[in-house]
Protein backbone atom coordinates (compact mmCIF):
# COMPACT_ATOMS: atom_id res chain seq x y z
CA UNK A 1 0.00 0.00 0.00
CA UNK A 2 1.69 3.18 -1.14
CA UNK A 3 1.62 6.34 0.94
CA UNK A 4 -0.20 9.47 -0.21
CA UNK A 5 1.03 12.55 1.63
CA UNK A 6 -1.42 14.79 -0.21
CA UNK A 7 -3.69 17.75 0.48
CA UNK A 8 -7.48 17.60 -0.03
CA UNK A 9 -7.48 18.66 -3.69
CA UNK A 10 -5.29 15.63 -4.42
CA UNK A 11 -7.62 13.29 -2.48
CA UNK A 12 -10.80 13.84 -4.46
CA UNK A 13 -10.42 10.44 -6.14
CA UNK A 14 -9.22 8.64 -3.02
CA UNK A 15 -11.05 5.26 -2.93
CA UNK A 16 -11.45 4.98 0.86
CA UNK A 17 -13.81 6.87 3.13
CA UNK A 18 -12.78 10.40 4.11
CA UNK A 19 -14.26 12.35 7.03
CA UNK A 20 -16.77 15.09 6.23
CA UNK A 21 -14.58 17.66 7.98
CA UNK A 22 -12.05 20.25 6.82
CA UNK A 23 -8.61 18.77 6.25
CA UNK A 24 -6.19 19.94 8.99
CA UNK A 25 -4.20 22.94 7.82
CA UNK A 26 -0.57 23.82 8.28
CA UNK A 27 2.80 22.30 7.45
CA UNK A 28 2.76 20.34 10.72
CA UNK A 29 -0.40 18.58 11.91
CA UNK A 30 -0.46 17.54 15.56
CA UNK A 31 -1.66 14.09 16.50
CA UNK A 32 -4.61 15.68 18.32
CA UNK A 33 -5.61 17.57 15.15
CA UNK A 34 -5.28 14.39 13.12
CA UNK A 35 -7.31 12.31 15.59
CA UNK A 36 -10.02 14.98 15.73
CA UNK A 37 -10.21 14.96 11.93
CA UNK A 38 -10.30 11.19 11.41
CA UNK A 39 -13.16 8.85 12.29
CA UNK A 40 -13.76 5.12 12.78
CA UNK A 41 -14.15 4.48 9.04
CA UNK A 42 -11.05 6.35 7.91
CA UNK A 43 -7.91 4.48 6.87
CA UNK A 44 -5.16 6.93 7.82
CA UNK A 45 -1.99 7.15 9.87
CA UNK A 46 -0.03 10.01 11.45
CA UNK A 47 3.75 10.19 11.06
CA UNK A 48 5.97 13.17 11.86
CA UNK A 49 3.16 15.70 11.55
CA UNK A 50 1.82 14.33 8.26
CA UNK A 51 -1.29 12.32 7.44
CA UNK A 52 -0.47 9.13 5.57
CA UNK A 53 -3.22 7.57 3.46
CA UNK A 54 -2.93 3.95 2.22
CA UNK A 55 -3.88 2.78 -1.23
CA UNK A 56 -6.42 -0.07 -1.61
CA UNK A 57 -5.42 -3.50 -0.30
CA UNK A 58 -5.24 -6.60 -2.46
CA UNK A 59 -7.66 -9.51 -2.17
CA UNK A 60 -4.90 -11.77 -0.77
CA UNK A 61 -4.00 -9.14 1.80
CA UNK A 62 -7.59 -8.82 3.00
CA UNK A 63 -8.16 -12.58 3.09
CA UNK A 64 -5.00 -13.12 5.15
CA UNK A 65 -5.88 -10.35 7.61
CA UNK A 66 -9.42 -11.72 7.93
CA UNK A 67 -8.19 -15.26 8.55
CA UNK A 68 -5.74 -14.21 11.27
CA UNK A 69 -8.33 -11.94 12.85
CA UNK A 70 -10.88 -14.75 13.14
CA UNK A 71 -8.37 -17.20 14.58
CA UNK A 72 -7.07 -14.68 17.12
CA UNK A 73 -10.49 -13.23 18.00
CA UNK A 74 -11.89 -16.63 18.96
CA UNK A 75 -8.64 -17.68 20.64
CA UNK A 76 -8.89 -14.57 22.85
CA UNK A 77 -12.35 -15.64 23.96
CA UNK A 78 -11.35 -19.25 24.52
CA UNK A 79 -8.35 -18.22 26.64
CA UNK A 80 -9.76 -14.96 28.05
CA UNK A 81 -6.43 -13.45 27.04
CA UNK A 82 -7.34 -9.95 25.85
CA UNK A 83 -8.69 -8.33 22.70
CA UNK A 84 -7.67 -8.08 19.06
CA UNK A 85 -8.49 -5.24 16.65
CA UNK A 86 -8.13 -4.84 12.91
CA UNK A 87 -7.71 -1.66 10.89
CA UNK A 88 -8.95 0.99 10.93
CA UNK A 89 -8.01 1.30 14.62
CA UNK A 90 -5.35 3.70 15.85
CA UNK A 91 -2.28 2.77 17.90
CA UNK A 92 -0.54 5.91 19.23
CA UNK A 93 3.00 5.03 20.25
CA UNK A 94 4.53 6.78 23.28
CA UNK A 95 6.05 10.23 23.11
CA UNK A 96 5.05 13.51 21.50
CA UNK A 97 6.44 12.40 18.16
CA UNK A 98 5.53 8.71 18.46
CA UNK A 99 3.66 7.73 15.32
CA UNK A 100 -0.06 7.01 15.16
CA UNK A 101 -0.34 3.86 13.09
CA UNK A 102 -3.17 1.57 12.01
CA UNK A 103 -1.75 -1.95 12.16
CA UNK A 104 -3.51 -4.60 10.15
CA UNK A 105 -4.02 -6.40 13.46
CA UNK A 106 -3.12 -5.51 17.03
CA UNK A 107 -3.51 -7.63 20.18
CA UNK A 108 -3.91 -6.08 23.63
CA UNK A 109 -3.32 -8.38 26.58
CA UNK A 110 -5.90 -8.53 29.34
CA UNK A 111 -3.57 -6.77 31.78
CA UNK A 112 -3.13 -3.84 29.37
CA UNK A 113 -6.73 -3.15 28.41
CA UNK A 114 -6.52 0.16 30.29
CA UNK A 115 -4.62 1.45 27.24
CA UNK A 116 -7.83 1.36 25.22
CA UNK A 117 -9.65 4.60 24.52
CA UNK A 118 -12.45 5.29 22.06
CA UNK A 119 -11.02 4.34 18.67
CA UNK A 120 -7.49 4.30 20.02
CA UNK A 121 -4.83 2.30 21.80
CA UNK A 122 -2.76 4.79 23.78
CA UNK A 123 0.58 3.02 23.90
CA UNK A 124 2.04 -0.09 22.25
CA UNK A 125 -0.01 -3.15 21.43
CA UNK A 126 1.35 -6.40 22.83
CA UNK A 127 1.45 -8.00 19.37
CA UNK A 128 1.29 -6.07 16.12
CA UNK A 129 0.75 -7.84 12.80
CA UNK A 130 1.35 -6.31 9.38
CA UNK A 131 0.50 -8.17 6.18
CA UNK A 132 3.00 -6.99 3.59
CA UNK A 133 1.92 -6.23 0.03
CA UNK A 134 4.03 -5.01 -2.89
CA UNK A 135 3.43 -1.35 -2.12
CA UNK A 136 4.01 -1.61 1.64
CA UNK A 137 7.35 -3.44 1.72
CA UNK A 138 9.51 -0.50 2.79
CA UNK A 139 6.91 0.88 5.19
CA UNK A 140 6.34 -2.43 6.97
CA UNK A 141 9.90 -3.77 6.89
CA UNK A 142 11.76 -0.53 7.58
CA UNK A 143 9.62 2.35 8.89
CA UNK A 144 7.21 0.42 11.08
CA UNK A 145 9.87 -2.09 12.14
CA UNK A 146 11.90 0.78 13.64
CA UNK A 147 8.88 2.61 15.06
CA UNK A 148 7.41 -0.46 16.73
CA UNK A 149 10.72 -1.40 18.32
CA UNK A 150 11.31 2.15 19.57
CA UNK A 151 7.71 2.35 20.78
CA UNK A 152 7.96 -0.84 22.83
CA UNK A 153 5.80 -3.26 20.84
CA UNK A 154 6.96 -6.59 22.35
CA UNK A 155 6.14 -8.83 19.37
CA UNK A 156 5.94 -7.97 15.68
CA UNK A 157 4.70 -10.34 12.95
CA UNK A 158 5.52 -9.61 9.30
CA UNK A 159 3.38 -11.71 6.98
CA UNK A 160 4.62 -11.16 3.43
CA UNK A 161 1.99 -12.44 1.01
CA UNK A 162 4.05 -11.28 -1.99
CA UNK A 163 6.79 -13.88 -1.44
CA UNK A 164 5.08 -16.34 0.89
CA UNK A 165 7.27 -15.64 3.91
CA UNK A 166 6.42 -14.97 7.56
CA UNK A 167 8.84 -13.39 10.02
CA UNK A 168 8.28 -13.05 13.77
CA UNK A 169 10.22 -10.73 16.06
CA UNK A 170 10.41 -10.15 19.82
CA UNK A 171 12.06 -7.27 21.69
CA UNK A 172 15.20 -8.15 23.62
CA UNK A 173 16.52 -6.46 26.77
CA UNK A 174 18.06 -3.70 24.64
CA UNK A 175 14.75 -2.92 22.88
CA UNK A 176 15.99 -4.47 19.65
CA UNK A 177 13.97 -6.98 17.67
CA UNK A 178 15.31 -10.50 17.50
CA UNK A 179 13.82 -12.95 15.05
CA UNK A 180 11.96 -15.88 16.61
CA UNK A 181 12.78 -19.13 14.82
CA UNK A 182 10.27 -21.64 13.54
CA UNK A 183 10.62 -24.97 15.37
CA UNK A 184 11.37 -28.36 13.82
CA UNK A 185 7.63 -29.01 13.35
CA UNK A 186 7.21 -25.84 11.32
CA UNK A 187 5.52 -23.94 14.16
CA UNK A 188 5.93 -20.41 15.41
CA UNK A 189 5.32 -20.14 19.15
CA UNK A 190 4.29 -16.68 20.35
CA UNK A 191 6.41 -15.31 23.20
CA UNK A 192 3.57 -13.02 24.27
CA UNK A 193 0.28 -14.87 23.74
CA UNK A 194 0.21 -17.88 26.08
CA UNK A 195 0.20 -21.31 24.40
CA UNK A 196 -0.49 -19.83 20.95
CA UNK A 197 1.30 -21.31 17.97
CA UNK A 198 0.90 -21.06 14.22
CA UNK A 199 2.21 -22.87 11.17
CA UNK A 200 3.17 -20.21 8.60
CA UNK A 201 2.48 -22.72 5.82
CA UNK A 202 -1.24 -22.35 6.58
CA UNK A 203 -1.05 -18.76 5.35
CA UNK A 204 -0.02 -19.77 1.83
CA UNK A 205 -2.81 -22.31 1.29
CA UNK A 206 -5.46 -21.54 -1.33
CA UNK A 207 -8.09 -21.34 -0.14
CA UNK A 208 -7.05 -20.50 3.38
CA UNK A 209 -7.98 -23.04 6.06
CA UNK A 210 -11.17 -22.66 8.03
CA UNK A 211 -10.40 -20.79 11.27
CA UNK A 212 -12.41 -23.40 13.20
CA UNK A 213 -10.12 -26.18 11.95
CA UNK A 214 -7.05 -24.22 13.06
CA UNK A 215 -8.52 -23.62 16.50
CA UNK A 216 -9.24 -27.31 16.96
CA UNK A 217 -5.60 -28.00 16.14
CA UNK A 218 -3.95 -25.37 18.32
CA UNK A 219 -6.40 -25.04 21.22
CA UNK A 220 -8.26 -28.33 21.61
CA UNK A 221 -9.68 -29.29 24.16
CA UNK A 222 -10.15 -25.69 25.34
CA UNK A 223 -11.91 -24.80 22.09
CA UNK A 224 -14.19 -27.84 22.37
CA UNK A 225 -15.15 -26.80 25.92
CA UNK A 226 -15.82 -23.27 24.70
CA UNK A 227 -18.13 -24.51 21.95
CA UNK A 228 -19.89 -26.91 24.33
CA UNK A 229 -20.53 -24.07 26.79
CA UNK A 230 -22.01 -21.96 23.98
CA UNK A 231 -24.26 -24.85 22.96
CA UNK A 232 -25.45 -25.39 26.52
CA UNK A 233 -26.32 -21.68 26.88
CA UNK A 234 -28.37 -21.80 23.68
CA UNK A 235 -30.38 -24.74 25.01
CA UNK A 236 -31.44 -22.87 28.15
Amino acid sequence: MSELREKPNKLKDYPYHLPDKPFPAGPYITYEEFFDWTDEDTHAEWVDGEIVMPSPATEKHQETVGFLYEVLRIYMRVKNAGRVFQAPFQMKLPGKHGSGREPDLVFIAKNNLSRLETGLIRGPGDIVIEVVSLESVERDRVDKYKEYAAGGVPEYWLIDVTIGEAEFYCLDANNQYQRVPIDHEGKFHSQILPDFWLKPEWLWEAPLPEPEDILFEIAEPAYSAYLNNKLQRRKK
Side-chain angles (χ1 to χ4, degrees):
M1 291 186 286
S2 63
E3 298 176 348
L4 302 176
R5 302 170 184 265
E6 306 284 3
K7 295 302 182 183
N9 61 325
K10 299 289 185 66
L11 292 174
K12 64 181 186 304
D13 297 323
Y14 186 62
Y16 285 148
H17 164 85
L18 289 171
D20 187 21
K21 303 175 186 176
F23 196 89
Y28 184 93
I29 299 166
T30 68
Y31 184 75
E32 290 71 22
E33 290 172 327
F34 160 73
F35 194 71
D36 182 62
W37 169 77
T38 192
D39 60 33
E40 64 182 6
D41 297 317
T42 304
H43 288 266
E45 298 179 322
W46 179 89
V47 183
D48 296 330
E50 294 185 324
I51 295 176
V52 179
M53 311 290 290
S55 63
T58 65
E59 180 179 345
K60 178 61 176 174
H61 177 281
Q62 294 298 82
E63 288 179 344
T64 304
V65 171
F67 167 74
L68 287 169
Y69 175 73
E70 284 302 308
V71 170
L72 289 168
R73 181 183 66 85
I74 300 173
Y75 189 87
M76 300 302 139
R77 294 188 176 183
V78 170
K79 296 289 188 175
N80 191 27
R83 299 179 65 183
V84 62
F85 299 90
Q86 62 183 132
F89 198 86
Q90 280 283 311
M91 179 181 71
K92 176 62 173 72
L93 293 174
K96 180 180 178 181
H97 299 292
S99 60
R101 291 292 192 178
E102 276 188 350
D104 287 319
L105 293 166
V106 56
F107 160 66
I108 303 295
K110 188 177 179 179
N111 291 341
N112 293 324
L113 291 178
S114 61
R115 296 176 188 171
L116 288 176
E117 301 177 13
T118 302
L120 172 68
I121 300 166
R122 180 81 59 179
D126 292 282
I127 299 175
V128 168
I129 304 170
E130 298 288 2
V131 176
V132 184
S133 56
L134 283 173
E135 295 175 299
S136 72
V137 172
E138 182 174 359
R139 183 170 66 255
D140 293 336
R141 291 186 173 278
V142 179
D143 298 341
K144 290 187 177 183
Y145 180 95
K146 293 178 181 178
E147 291 170 25
Y148 293 165
V153 174
E155 192 166 288
Y156 183 31
W157 303 6
L158 270 168
I159 312 299
D160 195 331
V161 297
T162 68
I163 59 175
E165 183 176 67
E167 300 171 22
F168 306 93
Y169 297 91
C170 273
L171 281 183
D172 62 17
N174 297 315
N175 288 323
Q176 300 293 318
Y177 278 135
Q178 300 298 327
R179 189 164 178 176
V180 180
I182 306 301
D183 72 12
H184 67 282
E185 295 181 325
K187 299 176 182 178
F188 157 70
H189 294 265
S190 174
Q191 308 296 298
I192 300 299
L193 187 53
D195 302 319
F196 184 86
W197 58 269
L198 180 77
K199 286 186 175 181
E201 66 187 41
W202 291 333
L203 302 171
W204 323 131
E205 294 182 14
L208 287 166
E210 291 294 330
E212 295 84 359
D213 294 338
I214 300 304
L215 287 156
F216 274 121
E217 186 159 352
I218 67 177
E220 217 270 336
Y223 183 50
S224 294
Y226 167 80
L227 292 176
N228 185 61
N229 288 336
K230 287 186 68 174
L231 180 61
Q232 296 305 315
R233 289 196 300 268
R234 289 178 65 89
K235 288 181 177 179
K236 291 181 179 179

